[in-house]
Amino acid sequence: MTPLNAQPTTTAPTMDAARVIRAAKAGWNALANDRALYAEMCGHYEGRLRQAIVDPQRRPTNLIAQMVEAYVTHLVGSGQKTMRKPKIAGNRGLTLLRQKRLEELEKKIGMNDVHERAVIQALLGGLGIYYTGLRGSDTMIQVDGELFDAGQPF
């Protein structure tokens, strides 16, 4: 029985290192074929497979590199613009404040680089992976003595 004036205590769940390692190894093994395809396509993208060129003045056009550059330019661009609209007219100031905070978080995380890496991975390997949270939460996770919001993008 708890006393009436007891305050609820919340402790951040700690990550079990063995569980994280097992999950990482399982994910690594599951993506073995995708990694092999990605490595081969990166070789074509970088042009390493075209090193046996007889005439250095006449280099073949790397169509894969041109395709990747064109898609990255159009899909990623120079950055994203966060747009938030208030549902209630009186919340315009709060909405603009949240919009600015999201833009600062995107700059801090480097979301433009994250988008670019994911697009290149998707084009070359068929699978672009984002590691982000979908929403904020009140659950904090402790990793190596540092607390992280479970839903915050990273």
Side-chain angles (χ1 to χ4, degrees):
M1 188 164 166
T2 60
L4 294 176
N5 60 357
Q7 296 294 325
T9 57
T10 57
T11 58
T14 57
M15 297 294 289
D16 181 17
R19 182 176 169 201
V20 172
I21 291 171
R22 281 194 308 271
K25 284 182 180 179
W28 180 263
N29 293 335
L31 292 175
N33 293 335
D34 295 313
R35 282 194 318 276
L37 172 66
Y38 183 67
E40 182 181 347
M41 292 304 294
C42 283
H44 289 294
Y45 172 63
E46 293 176 357
R48 279 187 261 150
L49 302 179
R50 300 179 184 263
Q51 289 180 351
I53 298 173
V54 178
D55 185 6
Q57 298 297 325
R58 299 183 66 201
R59 295 185 63 90
T61 302
N62 189 343
L63 296 178
I64 294 175
Q66 288 183 347
M67 182 247 340
V68 169
E69 290 170 9
Y71 274 109
V72 167
T73 301
H74 288 288
L75 293 175
V76 177
S78 61
Q80 288 70 38
K81 177 70 177 161
T82 303
M83 300 287 292
R84 300 214 23 124
K85 294 183 180 180
K87 292 181 180 178
I88 301 172
N91 289 344
R92 182 164 161 60
L94 181 61
T95 303
L96 289 174
L97 181 63
R98 285 186 180 168
Q99 178 177 328
K100 292 296 181 190
R101 286 183 180 167
L102 281 172
E103 288 174 0
E104 289 175 13
L105 181 62
E106 288 173 359
K107 285 180 185 176
K108 179 182 174 186
I109 295 171
M111 282 303 287
N112 200 36
D113 295 334
V114 171
H115 291 310
E116 186 174 331
R117 282 193 306 266
V119 167
I120 290 173
Q121 286 176 357
L123 290 171
L124 295 178
L127 182 66
I129 300 175
Y130 281 87
Y131 298 98
T132 60
L134 298 177
R135 60 183 173 87
S137 69
D138 59 352
T139 304
M140 301 297 284
I141 298 174
Q142 183 175 1
V143 179
D144 294 334
E146 192 173 348
L147 290 175
F148 297 95
D149 184 358
Q152 179 179 345
F154 55 91

